[in-house]
Amino acid sequence: MESREFQGRTVDEALESAALKLSLAKDSIDYTVIDEGSRGFLNIIGSKPAKIMVKLKRDSIKEAKRFLYDIFENMGISATIETEETDDAVRMNIYGDNMGVIIGYRGETLDSLQYLTSLVLNKDHNEPYRKIILDAENYRLKREQTLRNLAEKTAARVIKSGRAFKLEPMNPYERRIIHSELQGNSEIVTFSEGEEPYRRVVVNLKNT
């Protein structure tokens, strides 16, 4: 929406006038005071109206969802997006058919969509940065549990065999899950080796 000027006897009345004429809640409007106005002598002589310049607040989440829906439409995918918000993060969970296409091999497509959606969400650098977590039918939650189980099984294998074991290449997010799961194990140490995108976690006995 382009900026528009509104007037009232006071700044608050000017804001109420803007909200009424634009059919918006006052807290959804950004405004700048041009003139605070003046009541004048006896509230009549020399009085001046208050003036504000109004602009609709940007709905970053709505823009991010619109971005995703446009991608789904181009891909021929029918999907819905459920959104949960906190002060510094936005979680979007996608539901629909053909979610395997959205997720991609080990979540690679989902990761790419998450990165692009984050750029849309945070394109206004005057607003606080908000992390976005993009998921598809709780794939990330299921994948996290799978990785935690893998970490425990690998640790048991290393303890039993006495030999280090290298896991398959993973992205940074998945490697952090493995490290986190095993950091409390007094017999095990983990570290990453290799270059992206082939960087992997190594599980070994401590003091070897």
Side-chain angles (χ1 to χ4, degrees):
M1 184 186 86
E2 294 184 359
S3 298
R4 290 178 57 183
E5 183 179 306
F6 289 88
Q7 298 183 6
R9 288 184 298 176
T10 64
V11 170
D12 194 56
E13 283 192 9
L15 183 57
E16 288 181 359
S17 175
L20 180 64
K21 291 180 180 179
L22 297 173
S23 300
L24 296 170
K26 287 197 293 185
D27 60 7
S28 69
I29 296 174
D30 275 333
Y31 68 95
T32 302
V33 177
I34 301 173
D35 191 332
E36 293 186 354
S38 173
R39 291 186 177 184
F41 180 66
L42 298 178
N43 292 332
I44 299 175
I45 302 173
S47 64
K48 293 192 303 180
K51 298 179 182 179
I52 61 173
M53 189 64 71
V54 166
K55 187 174 183 180
L56 183 65
K57 285 184 179 178
R58 174 177 174 257
D59 191 334
S60 57
I61 294 178
K62 184 176 180 179
E63 289 182 16
K65 290 176 71 173
R66 183 69 267 162
F67 169 76
L68 286 171
Y69 279 128
D70 286 344
I71 290 178
F72 299 157
E73 184 177 353
N74 289 329
M75 295 173 71
I77 292 175
S78 177
T80 57
I81 303 172
E82 292 184 358
T83 304
E84 297 178 19
E85 297 181 56
T86 61
D87 290 339
D88 59 356
V90 179
R91 183 181 183 88
M92 293 184 177
N93 208 338
I94 308 165
Y95 295 90
D97 298 328
N98 300 321
M99 286 296 98
V101 176
I102 295 296
I103 294 168
Y105 178 68
R106 289 186 183 154
E108 289 180 353
T109 303
L110 191 62
D111 287 342
S112 297
L113 287 173
Q114 178 174 281
Y115 172 73
L116 294 173
T117 306
S118 178
L119 294 180
V120 174
L121 185 73
N122 295 295
K123 69 180 182 180
D124 187 346
H125 300 296
N126 293 320
E127 296 179 1
Y129 178 86
R130 300 179 77 182
K131 178 182 179 182
I132 187 161
I133 303 168
L134 192 64
D135 206 348
E137 296 190 336
N138 295 311
Y139 163 81
R140 294 196 188 280
L141 186 62
K142 297 172 186 174
R143 177 63 174 164
E144 179 176 336
Q145 189 57 55
T146 297
L147 291 171
R148 293 192 182 281
N149 292 338
L150 174 64
E152 294 295 342
K153 290 179 180 178
T154 303
R157 175 179 177 177
V158 169
I159 292 171
K160 183 177 180 180
S161 68
R163 294 193 299 270
F165 188 80
K166 296 180 180 181
L167 296 175
E168 62 192 11
M170 297 178 186
N171 62 41
Y173 168 75
E174 294 187 339
R175 293 198 304 271
R176 282 195 296 272
I177 293 173
I178 300 293
H179 292 309
S180 173
E181 182 66 18
L182 297 180
Q183 68 180 358
N185 192 314
S186 61
E187 299 180 78
I188 291 295
V189 63
T190 64
F191 58 92
S192 296
E193 68 175 20
E195 301 296 329
E196 302 289 2
Y198 305 107
R199 194 164 173 79
R200 63 181 71 210
V201 175
V202 180
V203 183
N204 200 1
L205 291 174
K206 284 186 177 180
N207 304 318
T208 58

